[in-house]
Amino acid sequence: MTLPGFDPERAAGVIGSALHGPGGVGLVFTVFAGVPGVIRTPARRGMFRSEPERLQLGSWRYEVTGDQRVRAAHVVNGIVLAEDVLTAAAVGPHVARALADLVAGFGPPVLPQIAAALEVLETAG
């Protein structure tokens, strides 16, 4: 599906290179937190319970695993329908597809925030 004003291939490349840069997953999660339809939950560490850092992009939830990989879960109405730990090469294209879903749902008003987030990731690397 081609969306006017959004290039998923470019987004996947920028996200993929940012993951291997100095900020890593934390930078990617933080940058996209300002996009409408995105919710970022910082990691919580406690003596009896801990929760990983999470980014909810539309119906996809991404979280950092203990070994710093990214787990993707398709969540609908609070129910996890599918879950997978992504390879390093798969994270960029997966997040780009989730962003394309946001653009399809929110329309053109979300494009400037996504473009700004991608620009920050490009300059940070």
Side-chain angles (χ1 to χ4, degrees):
M1 170 170 74
T2 303
L3 301 167
F6 180 71
D7 182 5
E9 289 179 21
R10 176 182 168 264
V14 169
I15 294 165
S17 63
L19 289 171
H20 300 294
V25 177
L27 175 65
V28 172
F29 281 16
T30 301
V31 165
F32 284 115
V35 175
V38 177
I39 302 167
R40 179 181 173 265
T41 307
R44 287 188 233 160
R45 307 268 184 246
M47 186 179 298
F48 299 109
R49 190 172 88 175
S50 65
E51 293 181 12
E53 182 175 12
R54 290 183 176 160
L55 184 75
Q56 181 83 28
L57 263 162
S59 64
W60 286 95
R61 181 181 69 206
Y62 300 94
E63 58 187 38
V64 181
T65 63
D67 57 356
Q68 296 302 304
R69 293 186 297 164
V70 176
R71 177 182 297 127
H74 190 219
V75 181
V76 177
N77 292 328
I79 300 170
V80 176
L81 299 178
E83 189 173 52
D84 192 19
V85 176
L86 302 175
T87 63
V91 174
H94 203 284
V95 172
R97 282 192 303 274
L99 288 171
D101 289 345
L102 278 180
V103 171
F106 281 87
V110 77
L111 289 173
Q113 286 92 349
I114 293 175
L118 291 174
E119 201 171 306
V120 167
L121 291 177
E122 280 180 322
T123 58

